[in-house]
Amino acid sequence: MLQFFWNITTYVFHIKMLTQILARMKFILYICNPNKRRTNMFRIILTIFIAAFACSSKAQVQVPGCSEVLLETTAGNIRLQLYDETPLHRDNFLKLVASHFYDSLLFHRVIKDFMVQCGDSTSRHAPAGTLLGEGDPGYRIPAEIRLPQLFHRRGVLAAAREPDDVNPKYESSASHFYIVWGRVFNDSTIARMQARLDTIYGAPVRLTPEMTETYKTIGGTPHLDGGYTVFGEVTEGMEVVDRIQQSPTDKNNRPLQDVRILRATITHKGQE
């Protein structure tokens, strides 16, 4: 239902813009070409604009120069930088933020030394103890896995998804995201993790020296590399993420005390 209303809003916006453009174009044609041919020219231009609108109406919302998002939560503020290397995820996330999708949603799944997850549209008014995790806009985003450049080091933003058996292409949930906390590895544990990555996703995923060093110093969740899309990172507020990931939880990993996104807003780069 949320996706339906978002599509209607997008179409109305495009129609308003199209109407304004056509009105200006018709006026220009009247002045510059005051003979009968202006009618045919206007029809040609109208056809072109309608075709362009039809092709672009399903496109993701793009906000040039605005690839930062501020999450104001009950635990504090978290600032996110979205990666240009993953444009489908970036633009989809910006679209949802602009539509206020994330406002009042809970971090419904929190696992200490692993990650904190949000994005369930049914969590906004969920009573305490309710099992969450199924609500979303109802579509998927094609995977944009960019190894070895973008990997699951501590502090990155990534997209959750359904399991491999029902999602062999690793397509992302439209709205569910997680922020990685993870843990710090040593030579022994990173070797075991590499052995797991050799088989877990069908094709081997090789940890580069840079990735290995990062996991041994900063930490993260290397077992997710190759299977999930990383599309941003926390630039401010890792202490807030730390507080959230240490929250006491119930048997379903939902915090006993709700941790909520009060408001999510798009900000320009460098904007305070």
Side-chain angles (χ1 to χ4, degrees), residues 4-188:
F4 170 78
F5 284 117
W6 170 254
N7 287 338
I8 291 297
T9 302
T10 303
Y11 295 154
V12 170
F13 174 76
H14 278 95
I15 289 170
K16 287 183 177 179
M17 291 193 65
L18 180 60
T19 302
Q20 293 174 1
I21 292 172
L22 288 175
R24 289 178 172 84
M25 187 60 68
K26 187 174 182 180
F27 177 73
I28 293 171
L29 287 174
Y30 182 83
I31 294 175
C32 298
N33 190 22
N35 55 42
K36 294 182 179 180
R37 286 183 298 172
R38 68 171 179 268
T39 301
N40 291 332
M41 291 182 65
F42 178 72
R43 288 174 179 170
I44 293 172
I45 293 173
L46 176 61
T47 302
I48 293 172
F49 270 92
I50 290 175
F53 169 71
C55 293
S56 65
S57 61
K58 294 184 179 180
Q60 300 290 353
V61 172
Q62 297 187 27
V63 186
C66 298
S67 55
E68 287 190 352
V69 170
L70 178 65
L71 304 181
E72 299 174 62
T73 83
T74 53
N77 292 350
I78 302 170
R79 191 178 296 275
L80 305 171
Q81 173 71 49
L82 308 182
Y83 294 146
D84 291 337
E85 293 86 347
T86 51
L88 298 179
H89 286 72
R90 176 199 63 200
D91 295 345
N92 178 72
F93 196 73
L94 291 173
K95 179 184 76 171
L96 293 178
V97 171
S99 69
H100 305 288
F101 177 91
Y102 290 109
D103 293 2
S104 297
L105 295 194
L106 299 178
F107 284 93
H108 67 273
R109 184 169 179 249
V110 171
I111 302 178
K112 190 176 186 297
D113 296 327
F114 182 30
M115 57 90 225
V116 301
Q117 182 174 335
C118 182
D120 185 339
S121 56
T122 68
S123 70
R124 188 171 283 109
H125 304 295
T130 302
L131 177 63
L132 298 169
E134 298 298 321
D136 67 20
Y139 61 94
R140 294 177 177 177
I141 307 298
E144 295 181 292
I145 298 171
R146 304 287 188 255
L147 290 176
Q149 292 83 6
L150 307 179
F151 56 96
H152 281 80
R153 61 179 174 80
R154 179 171 293 175
V156 299
L157 173 71
R161 62 173 177 82
E162 294 186 1
D164 297 1
D165 57 343
V166 295
N167 184 22
K169 294 183 179 180
Y170 308 151
E171 294 175 317
S172 302
S173 162
S175 61
H176 286 246
F177 68 86
Y178 59 93
I179 300 173
V180 171
W181 188 262
R183 61 189 181 91
V184 176
F185 291 77
N186 56 36
D187 289 336
S188 176

